[in-house]
Amino acid sequence: MPENKAVIYEGPGKVEVESTEYPSFELKEGPGVNPLNVGRKTPHGVILKVAATNICGSDQHMVRGRTTAPQGLALGHEITGEVVEVGRDVEFIKEGDLVSVPFNIACGRCRNCKEGKTGVCLNVNPDRPGSAYGYVDMGGWTGGQADYVLVPYADWNLLKFPDKERALDKILDLTMLSDIFPTGFHGCVSAGVGPGSTVYIAGAGPVGLSAATSAFLLGAAVVIVGDLNQDRLAQARSFGCETVDVSQADPKDQIEQILGVPEVDCAVDAVGFEARGHGREAQTERPATVLNTVMDVTRAGGAVGIPGLYVTGDPGAADEAAREGSLSLRIGLGWAKSLSFATGQCPVMRYHRQLMMAILHDRVQIAKNVNATVLPLEDAPRGYADFDKGAARKFVLDPHGIVRAHMPQPRQPA
């Protein structure tokens, strides 16, 4: 049986790459595993050899100690891999297939799954609707920042790439299909982005940059990205975005300088609950700031997409209300402007096939836009540390060297 290693959360600010058990077709007791899931059989699953697995901002929330994640949790919900074992009940996925794994685990059988709401599947997490790999309070399905990982309900969950060799040539782009590209796209679709739209995206991290990429793909006329990290703002400008530095002034004033009016058609919150203030409060945590700002800058009758993560338990919050997810929102402003809101996990299956086709047919360069940077699995602690410092990069872990083997080689001097 092959050796397996995984990225393990060892407490606030610390992750380690450790030897761990090779996956089996049964959920076993372990850190974060819901007791009601222990012993659950998964003959409908497959085991993947992980080709690429990414570090996500949602992982970073846990590593910072801003959730109730238990020590010893195996991390990672952005997974692309090759099928190496197939459960007895799997009919259509075969050994050797190269696949993308939606970060939402979904059964395909419940009411929500049948309605396309795969982010809130009713059958995979005994505590509440919705589940994900390697994430706190999500049922305890083992994370995919590892050499090998189990994926349940494989025929339903997996997106098979139609041409394996062609997919390997674009593996760095395709690995973004497991989460951030569909998540950014979902934020824009929820906000009503379309041809000719003006769009404000709060946050220039990987999800924000994915949302900006998606806005252009959907036909936006102007995409404005707000952040206080200069390197991330420069990355947004590298593919045509306008930018506002929220540490300097209110975004509304800067939006007016760009558009001539202080409002946009659509807005996306790609920051979430660790938001900071604007202007003089830019270094102070203000968890409701972004939500209130996107309401303020969106025109009356517009919509706001909120793919940024908000939690029900934040032990590191500045006040008691925020520790349980209660924020000081200007809901009266949103009501007065007749704004629409969409929140929650992106239902990845709703978008990933279409986005795969856009990648395979060279309609989008998502890896370039998010500055994808490849690391071996053993360098995951360095990737987490650099990401925490605000690196303008999307770190992609490459456990078996598959991504590096298929990256374009630099030209040699004549």
Side-chain angles (χ1 to χ4, degrees):
M1 189 170 291
E3 180 185 22
N4 195 25
K5 292 185 177 180
V7 179
I8 305 297
Y9 170 63
E10 292 292 3
K14 186 177 182 181
V15 297
E16 299 287 350
V17 179
E18 301 177 8
S19 294
T20 189
E21 193 170 355
Y22 185 82
S24 69
F25 293 104
E26 179 181 333
L27 283 186
K28 299 181 179 179
E29 188 174 5
V33 179
N34 189 299
L36 296 176
N37 264 347
V38 174
R40 186 170 183 163
K41 304 292 195 297
T42 59
H44 43 67
V46 299
I47 294 172
L48 298 184
K49 178 181 179 180
V50 177
T53 177
N54 313 331
I55 297 174
C56 180
S58 299
D59 300 320
Q60 199 72 63
H61 293 308
M62 289 188 290
V63 173
R64 290 188 186 123
R66 296 300 298 270
T67 71
T68 55
Q71 184 175 333
L73 183 70
L75 300 171
H77 57 270
E78 299 189 15
I79 309 164
T80 306
E82 180 182 7
V83 178
V84 293
E85 291 188 47
V86 177
R88 71 170 188 269
D89 293 345
V90 177
E91 186 175 0
F92 303 112
I93 296 294
K94 307 299 182 185
E95 286 187 24
D97 287 346
L98 188 66
V99 297
S100 178
V101 184
F103 78 90
N104 343 86
I105 303 171
C107 72
R109 297 153 166 79
C110 71
R111 173 182 176 176
N112 282 351
C113 283
K114 290 178 179 180
E115 292 177 356
K117 301 170 185 174
T118 54
V120 281
C121 173
L122 301 174
N123 288 332
V124 288
N125 182 357
D127 281 341
R128 64 188 187 195
S131 191
Y133 304 87
Y135 209 82
V136 60
D137 297 331
M138 287 293 189
W141 300 86
T142 301
Q145 288 174 11
D147 291 307
Y148 298 91
V149 68
L150 167 72
V151 175
Y153 303 103
D155 282 329
W156 168 252
N157 279 306
L158 294 177
L159 173 66
K160 176 184 171 181
F161 299 134
D163 183 323
K164 187 174 181 178
E165 292 307 313
R166 185 180 182 189
L168 284 168
D169 288 339
K170 291 184 177 291
I171 190 67
L172 197 56
D173 289 284
L174 292 170
T175 191
M176 306 304 162
L177 291 175
S178 58
D179 182 355
I180 66 165
F181 195 11
T183 292
F185 195 84
H186 178 61
C188 287
V189 170
S190 301
V193 178
S197 297
T198 58
V199 187
Y200 176 66
I201 296 168
V207 171
L209 296 174
S210 296
T213 302
S214 300
F216 283 125
L217 194 58
L218 288 163
V222 183
V223 179
I224 304 169
V225 178
D227 207 300
L228 48 77
N229 181 310
Q230 297 306 310
D231 291 339
R232 290 181 170 183
L233 290 173
Q235 184 64 28
R237 288 192 293 271
S238 75
F239 59 95
C241 300
E242 301 285 346
T243 59
V244 300
D245 181 351
V246 300
S247 70
Q248 297 302 308
D250 191 309
K252 195 170 187 177
D253 298 332
Q254 297 178 70
I255 288 170
E256 185 170 19
Q257 293 174 17
I258 295 167
L259 296 177
V261 293
E263 61 183 14
V264 291
D265 297 321
C266 320
V268 177
D269 172 3
V271 177
F273 73 103
E274 286 192 68
R276 298 189 179 276
H278 296 152
R280 295 180 180 178
E281 294 188 335
Q283 298 307 317
T284 304
E285 190 165 303
R286 295 283 186 266
T289 295
V290 171
L291 288 170
N292 288 326
T293 294
V294 292
M295 285 193 284
D296 192 31
V297 303
T298 303
R299 67 175 180 84
V304 175
I306 310 173
L309 176 67
Y310 289 87
V311 295
T312 56
D314 175 10
D319 59 66
E320 193 62 38
R323 289 189 188 102
E324 57 182 31
S326 296
L327 308 181
S328 298
L329 298 182
R330 296 184 63 195
I331 193 65
L333 174 64
W335 188 93
K337 296 176 76 173
S338 295
L339 299 179
S340 300
F341 302 87
T343 66
Q345 288 187 33
C346 164
V348 171
M349 285 188 200
R350 192 176 298 173
Y351 309 107
H352 64 174
R353 183 173 298 278
Q354 301 95 307
L355 296 177
M356 174 189 73
M357 296 300 288
I359 289 169
L360 292 175
H361 292 277
D362 299 316
R363 302 304 299 171
V364 66
Q365 293 181 300
I366 184 63
K368 179 181 178 182
N369 289 2
V370 300
N371 197 16
T373 302
V374 182
L375 297 174
L377 185 68
E378 57 266 27
D379 283 354
R382 176 166 65 88
Y384 271 95
D386 289 349
F387 193 35
D388 192 48
K389 294 173 185 174
R393 298 178 182 276
K394 175 66 173 177
F395 288 106
V396 176
L397 303 178
D398 183 16
H400 300 279
I402 294 171
V403 178
R404 283 163 289 175
H406 288 86
M407 290 177 67
Q409 297 300 310
R411 292 184 179 179
Q412 298 298 319

